[in-house]
Amino acid sequence: MKVISVVGARPNFMKIAPLIQEMRQFSDIEHLLVHSGQHYDDRLSASFFGDLGLPKPDIQLQVGSGTHAWQTAEIMKRLEPVLIENKPDLLIVVGDVNSTMAASITAAKLLVPIAHIEAGLRSFDPTMPEEINRKVTDVLADFLFATEESAVQNLLKEGIPSDRIFLVGNVMIDSLLRYRSMARQSGVLADLGLWGEHGKPKPYGVLTLHRPSNVDDPSALGLILEAVSEVAMKVPIVFPVHPRTHERMKSFGYTHLLDSSRAKSADSGLISTNPLGYLDFLCLMDHARLVLTDSGGIQEETTVLGVPCLTLRENTERPVTLHEGTNQLIGLNPEKLVQASLKVLEGDFPKGRRPRLWDGHAAQRIVKILLDSWPARATKRSPSMA
Ligand code: UD1
């Protein structure tokens, strides 16, 4: 069985890592890793390959940044000859970034069967580019691997045949559980001046922001940063700044907020950093009193870590983190952000439990399903590379 996996952006790497580790156990799987180059900075890409023990990509498409249509089209143009030449039996894609959708369309047109990991999540918000990527990918996929029951129900409602849908758990949590103890050795807390006396971390919060709806609009970004600065008067808030957010802050004139030298010495304020590697960021989340984020994956990771998460969005495609986890939707109301943060800092937040099947074995289940069902699927839809 010849498998090609396509990854491209930061949140893909911790999802593909456990699958590659699992596929390596089977000599009858030949695997090639393709990196689209959607993310290319070391801090968003190479450092994750190092932290997660990922092999160097076999093929690099080196696409880079651009508009959505440009980036999607460029990935398709550069991936098509790779699929034609290598004739894979299966394409694996993870998550919901542009690389996920572009690779799926390319494979579908060549009749290469597709496995989508993290299928079925829906925010029902058409303004999110990821929602479009998720829907297109799911409609094309032959194997839809879901992390939570709501995703299964979404897919059934959209008319996806039930024999294509598999509730298997969460590969991102496979990585988290595998690397959590290693992450605790990270020196990031000491570097940021967050290691207190008596060998315990000081109380601190973490902020991540990168959604276009939050960072591309000067007034939305300004309101969030103002509200977070108010919370940061109580505890320091570490803010690893995504390149997109950094660019916007520069053009909107907000970079004075990124001077973190005072914050570190004063035990309060915003401590800005460059984007952090996987292990450093996991360590930072693990010891935080509070996480403020607009990321999707962080809502799931904090749920498993038992760390309170306030999500700065009006919706989430990951409702299990609200119903069973530590996540709360705050929206974009600055007053609510401050009040909810203060409540959390007083210890008042949902303690949550780990969702079903988020047990570190999702990749094993996925690879077993693929191997068990392979001969049947292969004869049903063999790749035509004309
Ligand atoms: C992408 C994903 C988003 C994911 C996020 C994680 C899509 C539509 N969006 O958003 O779902 O949550 O990654 O980070 O796929 N840039 C750099 N260096 C890089 C990459 C990007 O500086 O290595 C800058 C460029 O100016 C670029 C901007 O960041 O234009 C945005 O990058 P892009 O990949 O288009 O989207 P993200 O915001 O990173």
Side-chain angles (χ1 to χ4, degrees):
M1 181 176 178
K2 190 165 185 178
V3 180
I4 289 191
S5 304
V6 176
V7 291
R10 180 170 62 177
N12 291 163
F13 307 136
M14 64 290 266
K15 294 173 191 167
I16 205 67
L19 285 162
I20 292 181
Q21 278 148 11
E22 183 61 19
M23 284 191 284
R24 277 195 190 130
Q25 313 296 315
F26 296 91
S27 57
D28 41 355
I29 300 182
E30 184 191 343
H31 179 252
L32 287 179
L33 181 63
V34 176
H35 190 322
S36 72
Q38 177 174 348
H39 282 177
Y40 41 86
D41 281 353
D42 282 357
R43 286 197 172 94
L44 298 186
S45 179
S47 87
F48 281 73
F49 274 69
D51 279 2
L52 292 157
L54 275 164
K56 204 168 155 285
D58 299 287
I59 296 153
Q60 310 243 22
L61 303 180
Q62 296 184 311
V63 163
S65 301
T67 65
H68 284 272
W70 183 91
Q71 191 174 58
T72 304
E74 207 58 35
I75 296 169
M76 290 172 65
K77 268 165 64 184
R78 296 183 195 198
L79 181 63
E80 186 179 55
V82 172
L83 297 184
I84 290 173
E85 189 189 328
N86 289 284
K87 300 183 172 38
D89 299 305
L90 180 74
L91 174 91
I92 295 184
V93 286
V94 295
D96 56 15
V97 302
N98 286 347
S99 304
T100 310
M101 180 184 74
S104 303
I105 298 173
T106 315
K109 296 259 181 174
L110 292 169
L111 305 186
V112 177
I114 299 164
H116 183 206
I117 319 296
E118 207 185 82
L121 296 179
R122 297 288 182 267
S123 64
F124 304 102
D125 176 358
T127 68
M128 277 181 88
E130 293 82 358
E131 184 75 354
I132 299 166
N133 295 343
R134 290 190 276 260
K135 282 160 74 173
V136 172
T137 303
D138 285 343
V139 98
L140 299 175
D142 302 85
F143 296 87
L144 295 101
F145 293 108
T147 51
E148 58 173 279
E149 182 57 35
S150 76
V152 173
Q153 294 309 318
N154 293 335
L155 292 168
L156 291 172
K157 277 184 209 144
E158 289 172 17
I160 305 283
S162 60
D163 65 349
R164 292 193 195 173
I165 306 169
F166 306 90
L167 180 63
V168 288
N170 193 322
V171 285
M172 195 183 59
I173 301 307
D174 289 6
S175 281
L176 182 147
L177 296 175
R178 183 183 169 117
Y179 287 104
R180 188 178 189 182
S181 56
M182 200 191 286
R184 287 188 174 147
Q185 314 297 315
S186 152
V188 68
L189 297 189
D191 292 347
L192 294 172
L194 294 171
W195 207 250
E197 287 162 22
H198 318 298
K200 283 193 171 165
K202 294 178 186 174
Y204 66 88
V206 176
L207 167 70
T208 81
L209 279 180
H210 75 282
R211 293 248 158 255
S213 54
N214 283 343
V215 306
D216 287 0
D217 174 39
S219 90
L221 183 58
L223 285 174
I224 292 173
L225 292 174
E226 226 172 87
V228 173
S229 302
E230 208 176 318
V231 180
M233 284 157 68
K234 297 275 181 204
V235 284
I237 305 275
V238 184
F239 181 23
V241 188
H242 188 280
R244 175 189 204 102
T245 311
H246 193 264
E247 251 174 48
R248 300 298 185 270
M249 289 183 75
K250 232 163 77 185
S251 64
F252 304 153
Y254 296 150
T255 38
H256 58 283
L257 292 166
L258 299 181
D259 173 17
S260 60
S261 47
R262 262 174 5 113
K264 275 197 214 175
S265 54
D267 274 352
S268 63
L270 212 51
I271 304 177
S272 68
T273 71
N274 284 314
L276 296 173
Y278 181 71
L279 295 173
D280 287 346
F281 191 70
L282 180 50
C283 177
L284 198 65
M285 279 193 295
D286 202 3
H287 292 102
R289 292 286 172 93
L290 160 72
V291 172
L292 296 155
T293 190
D294 59 7
S295 151
I298 291 174
Q299 298 169 49
E300 297 181 339
E301 290 172 327
T302 46
T303 273
V304 171
L305 295 170
V307 170
C309 178
L310 300 181
T311 296
L312 311 180
R313 289 172 43 190
E314 304 290 348
N315 51 55
T316 179
E317 61 287 336
R318 293 160 159 94
V320 75
T321 62
L322 298 175
H323 305 136
E324 296 185 27
T326 57
N327 188 22
Q328 300 176 67
L329 275 187
I330 293 304
L332 299 182
N333 179 335
E335 269 167 37
K336 210 167 158 193
L337 189 163
V338 175
Q339 277 162 17
S341 300
L342 297 181
K343 246 172 96 176
V344 165
L345 292 172
E346 283 161 12
D348 183 359
F349 62 89
K351 302 296 178 287
R353 60 164 191 253
R354 196 185 293 181
R356 192 164 81 83
L357 299 174
W358 293 19
D359 58 1
H361 301 294
Q364 278 171 24
R365 291 183 195 104
I366 291 169
V367 173
K368 182 169 188 323
I369 289 167
L370 289 173
L371 284 170
D372 286 352
S373 56
W374 191 249
R377 302 269 171 168
T379 47
K380 203 169 107 196
R381 253 187 127 183
S382 69
S384 142
M385 302 293 175

